[in-house]
Amino acid sequence: MAIFGFQLCFTLIMASFLQKLTPIYSLGRWLLCNGSLIYYKHPSNDELKKLTGKQFEKPKGKRKANKSIMEQELQTFKIPKNLEINLNSEHIRPIDSLNLRNYSDYEWLVNYTLFVVIVYFATEVYYEIWNPSKDFNISLVWLALSVSFAIKNMLSVLKLYMKSGGGEIYLSVVYAVISFILSLLVLMVNEDYLDFGLASQLVKSDKKFDISGLKLILAFVSALHGLIFAFPAFRMAQMYWDALKYSSGSNVLNFFLHLNFCAPALTMLLWVKPIVKDFLLSPGTLNGPRIELLSEGRFEVYRIAFVVLICMLRFALIRPHLQAYLNVAYDRVLKLRKEAGKITNIELKSLIGHVYYYLGVVAMQYLSPIVVHLALVFYLKTLGNYSWRALVDPNASQFLMSNVNVTAATPTTTSQPLTYDSSLTDMINSYDSSLRSYTTVSPALLRAMFSYFVFWCSANWFLATCMGLLHHSYLSG
């Protein structure tokens, strides 16, 4: 009954509060519809007719059977591609969100993530102050649900690409294969160079884990990450490239855009042991011994805090990236003027209108990797038993406690061998004890696994965005 304590009560209070608050104020709706984003509207048929200088008269036929055909002929006509079209722009308001595809999924993801972050930090404060030794950390359940919602949204977008028959699905599959191979290479690197500690913890563990089997499982999960987030990374690279083009007059914004793009690479370097040991933990001097700046335990907490700050930076820069995406409609019209031939008014409207129509999908592609990365680093902090006090107090303990219920530590009771005279209760207790002994994972092994996942999310995302940047800047013309 320990679960029905502070954590569950606070969770129910926050859920009720956000349920009442969301119709009035929604973070997801505010991000897109507060008036800071501008979208371009396609010209109407009358405006296109005036620009072409031609008059299109309505046919005089009155037969009902031909009514729909005449209306289609009236609405569909051709115009020159090099026509000087001036697009009207408007600020996005809440009423405009009704036309966005997957907007409800995007809004739910943002609002639920806000709820999870609030509950998680409240739970962390509860653990830091009262240090309960028998409470199950219920925030881990909400974090798992947030990851499932983000992956579900990305799978729905991937399904959309499969139905469209474009090249996005082939790109995702190819990058998944590349991710599988690269992850195996990373897991084969000696622990003197990458600070995971996975192999050493498997050797120390009293459970008979197969090192090769576990690495294959981790590589398979890494390939799934590459499959799901390959095209969002390519989209991110295009938005980054366009955002730099439209923010050339702001040096501060350019700096943060560059930092946001290079932040995954900086995160990767924090797991490279030579850099961490020689430059951050105990840098050497020219004529003296090494100076210990941070202990390994404090550095782990600082590394977690750095990843959290990077996720916050990526979230704060969502509007410049989304505005760069919305400006694609204007760029398409400029590119169309350089082409010869004609285009129908329906094709022109689709060319411009689809950019705004898929704004909700692009926003999900931008936010879903952040949600997954943030949840993984929170799992690393909680299941690894780290303490936030190490950020400010050098004398604070490295870990919170033994954390029995969170990590499912090995039970102290031992089961007696079963005989023919054993009762059903003895059989159940023996099975339960055996199951616990084989499903128990030590905090050190959990730290190693989630440390790899956090590293791989940064590495995989940075590699995919670099490939996307190379494509959009040099290969796409």
Side-chain angles (χ1 to χ4, degrees):
M1 296 299 292
I3 189 175
F4 297 101
F6 167 80
Q7 296 185 72
L8 186 60
C9 292
F10 183 79
T11 300
L12 295 177
I13 292 173
M14 284 302 305
S16 178
F17 175 73
L18 290 178
Q19 182 183 11
K20 301 297 182 181
L21 182 64
T22 299
I24 303 174
Y25 177 81
S26 170
L27 179 61
R29 184 169 62 246
W30 178 78
L31 287 175
L32 295 187
C33 308
N34 71 330
S36 61
L37 294 178
I38 299 174
Y39 75 101
Y40 293 93
K41 299 177 61 178
H42 58 75
S44 63
N45 288 341
D46 294 336
E47 293 174 346
L48 293 175
K49 293 174 186 178
K50 292 179 181 179
L51 290 174
T52 55
K54 297 180 180 181
Q55 298 294 330
F56 295 86
E57 297 181 357
K58 183 177 179 180
K60 297 181 180 180
K62 297 182 180 179
R63 296 181 180 179
K64 294 182 179 180
N66 297 330
K67 184 177 179 180
S68 60
I69 299 178
M70 289 188 299
E71 291 179 352
Q72 184 67 22
E73 292 176 352
L74 178 64
Q75 295 297 327
T76 304
F77 52 88
K78 292 185 177 181
I79 58 175
K81 289 184 178 180
N82 57 357
L83 192 65
E84 295 290 335
I85 300 175
N86 295 322
L87 298 179
N88 296 324
S89 60
E90 286 188 6
H91 295 275
I92 300 179
R93 300 299 179 185
I95 190 64
D96 300 324
S97 63
L98 299 176
N99 300 323
L100 298 180
R101 185 184 181 96
N102 291 59
Y103 174 77
S104 58
D105 296 334
Y106 152 78
E107 188 177 16
W108 167 253
L109 178 64
V110 176
N111 294 336
Y112 182 77
T113 304
L114 175 63
F115 158 75
V116 170
V117 170
I118 294 175
V119 171
Y120 176 81
F121 279 105
T123 306
E124 288 298 301
V125 172
Y126 169 66
Y127 268 86
E128 291 284 352
I129 296 177
W130 285 280
N131 194 13
S133 59
K134 296 183 179 181
D135 277 11
F136 175 79
N137 197 334
I138 197 174
S139 62
L140 300 181
V141 179
W142 314 133
L143 287 173
L145 288 177
S146 65
V147 173
S148 66
F149 291 144
I151 294 178
K152 169 185 169 296
N153 291 335
M154 289 298 95
L155 289 177
S156 64
V157 175
L158 198 63
K159 183 179 179 181
L160 180 65
Y161 292 150
M162 293 178 62
K163 291 182 178 180
S164 63
E168 295 87 354
I169 183 63
Y170 302 106
L171 170 67
S172 301
V173 173
V174 170
Y175 192 75
V177 177
I178 295 175
S179 299
F180 181 79
I181 298 174
L182 291 179
S183 61
L184 284 179
L185 294 177
V186 169
L187 290 170
M188 291 172 60
V189 174
N190 193 288
E191 292 187 358
D192 294 334
Y193 301 99
L194 289 179
D195 188 19
F196 298 143
L198 188 60
S200 60
Q201 294 302 327
L202 285 175
V203 172
K204 294 178 182 179
S205 178
D206 55 348
K207 305 299 178 297
K208 296 180 180 180
F209 289 109
D210 186 4
I211 298 178
S212 300
L214 181 60
K215 289 183 177 181
L216 283 176
I217 294 175
L218 296 178
F220 180 73
V221 176
S222 303
L224 289 180
H225 181 272
L227 174 67
I228 296 174
F229 294 109
F231 194 74
F234 271 63
R235 176 81 70 183
M236 170 66 186
Q238 182 182 11
M239 291 190 293
Y240 163 72
W241 183 257
D242 294 338
L244 290 177
K245 180 175 62 176
Y246 289 107
S247 62
S248 57
S250 177
N251 294 328
V252 177
L253 182 57
N254 282 337
F255 169 76
F256 283 109
L257 289 174
H258 289 306
L259 179 61
N260 179 50
F261 183 81
C262 299
L266 299 176
T267 305
M268 290 167 48
L269 295 178
L270 295 179
W271 269 267
V272 179
K273 263 192 175 181
I275 296 178
V276 170
K277 184 177 181 180
D278 297 336
F279 295 98
L280 297 179
L281 294 183
S282 55
T285 58
L286 293 177
N287 299 319
R290 292 183 176 273
I291 303 174
E292 184 177 354
L293 298 180
L294 289 173
S295 63
E296 293 187 5
R298 291 195 69 196
F299 174 75
E300 294 282 352
V301 181
Y302 274 100
R303 186 163 59 184
I304 292 172
F306 179 80
V307 178
V308 174
L309 291 177
I310 292 303
C311 292
M312 293 173 60
L313 174 64
R314 292 170 62 182
F315 178 78
L317 293 177
I318 182 175
R319 284 178 180 165
H321 288 88
L322 292 183
Q323 186 58 59
Y325 165 75
L326 291 171
N327 293 339
V328 170
Y330 182 77
D331 294 337
R332 287 181 177 179
V333 174
L334 294 180
K335 185 179 180 180
L336 191 65
R337 292 177 184 176
K338 301 178 182 179
E339 300 178 4
K342 293 186 176 182
I343 187 175
T344 64
N345 62 325
I346 302 299
E347 292 174 346
L348 178 64
K349 290 180 178 180
S350 299
L351 190 68
I352 300 172
H354 279 185
V355 176
Y356 173 70
Y357 177 66
Y358 285 100
L359 178 61
V361 177
V362 175
M364 283 197 311
Q365 290 178 328
Y366 184 89
L367 290 175
S368 294
I370 302 176
V371 173
V372 173
H373 204 181
L374 191 63
L376 288 176
V377 76
F378 284 162
Y379 267 104
L380 173 61
K381 187 269 168 193
T382 303
L383 297 182
N385 295 341
Y386 292 110
S387 173
W388 295 113
R389 295 179 183 178
L391 293 174
V392 293
D393 186 6
N395 297 322
S397 58
Q398 181 178 345
F399 309 112
L400 271 176
M401 53 188 174
S402 59
N403 213 351
V404 175
N405 287 279
V406 174
T407 57
T410 306
T412 57
T413 59
T414 58
S415 59
Q416 299 294 330
L418 297 178
T419 62
Y420 288 103
D421 297 331
S422 299
S423 63
L424 179 62
T425 304
D426 296 335
M427 295 173 61
I428 294 176
N429 291 335
S430 177
Y431 174 79
D432 182 68
S433 178
S434 300
L435 182 63
R436 286 178 178 272
S437 64
Y438 280 101
T439 58
T440 296
V441 182
S442 64
L445 183 57
L446 289 173
R447 283 196 298 272
M449 294 175 60
F450 281 98
S451 182
Y452 165 76
F453 282 133
V454 174
F455 167 84
W456 180 253
C457 283
S458 300
N460 205 21
W461 182 260
F462 182 70
L463 177 61
T465 50
C466 286
M467 294 175 60
L469 185 62
L470 176 65
H471 171 76
H472 292 299
S473 56
Y474 295 104
L475 303 180
S476 62

